[in-house]
Amino acid sequence: MSLSSLHPFQNATSLLVIIPDSIDVEEESRFYDQLCDEPDGRASRASIHLSQGAPSVFSHDIWLGDGSGESLAFARDVQISGWTNVGDKLGGAYVVYDCVIRTKESTTIHAHKRYSAFVQLYRALRQSLPPHQQHFVPALPPKSPFARYRPAFVDHRRRQLQYWLSAVLLHPEIGACQAVRGWVMD
C-alpha cells in the first residue's frame, strides 16, 4: 500500500478542517436549556457569543455562527431592474435607474435615480458615518462621459451600481442611517 493512498490530502496547500465524528451532547443540552429558559425562546446574546465564537465584522450585535442579533437596516433585497434614457442627447439627456428595494415588511419601493443621486448618497455617507464604518462603503463605478449612452456601458454600470447599493442598503448599520433612508424616500 502506498503512502499517498493512506493520506489523500498530504499535498494539499489549503486549510483542511476535519469535522469531528461526534457531537458534544452536554454542550448541546446546555444550549437547548438556555433557549428554553428565555421568555422569547432565544438565548441571551452573551451566552451565544461565548459559545459561538467571534462577532461579525459588520456589527457588534450580529454573530456569524448562528445569524442571531439585530440588523437595523430596513431593506431585505436590492435590485436595479433597469434603466432608461430621458431627454435627447443634444439637449441634456441623462440615464435614470430603477432601484427596486424590498423592505423587511415585504413592501417594494421603486426609487428612480440618476447617477448623480448615487454620488450624493456616497458623499453624504462619507460625511456622516464614523471613521470605523466608512470602509464598508465601496467606491462608486467611474463616470464615462463618452460612453454613457451606449446600452452595453449603461447595463454594465447598472450591475455595478446594484452591487454598490446592495452593499450600502443591506449593511446592518449603514443601511439604517438617516442619509440612506432620506435617499430612498427622496
Side-chain angles (χ1 to χ4, degrees):
M1 195 179 266
S2 72
L3 188 59
S4 63
S5 65
L6 292 175
H7 301 285
F9 300 111
Q10 76 181 19
N11 296 323
T13 58
S14 299
L15 175 66
L16 178 64
V17 178
I18 299 175
I19 300 172
D21 292 335
S22 63
I23 297 174
D24 185 354
V25 176
E26 291 177 351
E27 175 72 37
E28 292 296 320
S29 177
R30 279 192 300 275
F31 184 66
Y32 179 77
D33 290 340
Q34 288 174 346
L35 287 172
C36 292
D37 290 341
E38 293 296 318
D40 65 352
R42 293 174 63 190
S44 70
R45 290 183 181 167
S47 65
I48 290 174
H49 176 55
L50 292 176
S51 65
Q52 293 295 325
S56 166
V57 294
F58 290 120
S59 171
H60 297 294
D61 295 339
I62 297 174
W63 291 280
L64 296 174
D66 65 353
S68 67
E70 298 296 325
S71 172
L72 302 175
F74 67 93
R76 178 187 297 170
D77 186 44
V78 178
Q79 301 287 321
I80 298 183
S81 63
W83 54 270
T84 188
N85 288 321
V86 177
D88 62 359
K89 294 176 185 165
L90 299 174
Y94 54 91
V95 176
V96 174
Y97 297 93
D98 182 16
C99 306
V100 182
I101 302 156
R102 199 168 99 222
T103 67
K104 289 181 179 178
E105 295 80 24
S106 296
T107 302
T108 301
I109 300 170
H110 286 267
H112 298 114
K113 302 290 185 178
R114 297 174 62 172
Y115 180 83
S116 60
F118 289 89
V119 173
Q120 289 172 349
L121 176 58
Y122 178 81
R123 288 179 181 153
L125 290 171
R126 298 297 289 178
Q127 290 176 351
S128 64
L129 290 176
H132 72 277
Q133 287 184 340
Q134 290 186 8
H135 70 278
F136 291 120
V137 180
L140 280 168
K143 288 191 86 158
S144 179
F146 299 113
R148 67 179 171 179
Y149 299 114
R150 289 190 2 240
F153 169 79
V154 177
D155 194 59
H156 180 67
R157 177 183 273 175
R158 176 195 63 80
R159 290 190 307 272
Q160 290 177 316
L161 288 172
Q162 179 175 304
Y163 168 81
W164 185 87
L165 193 59
S166 294
V168 170
L169 267 62
L170 299 179
H171 187 279
E173 293 170 352
I174 296 172
C177 76
Q178 188 59 40
V180 168
R181 290 179 181 266
W183 186 86
V184 169
M185 301 313 289
D186 184 26

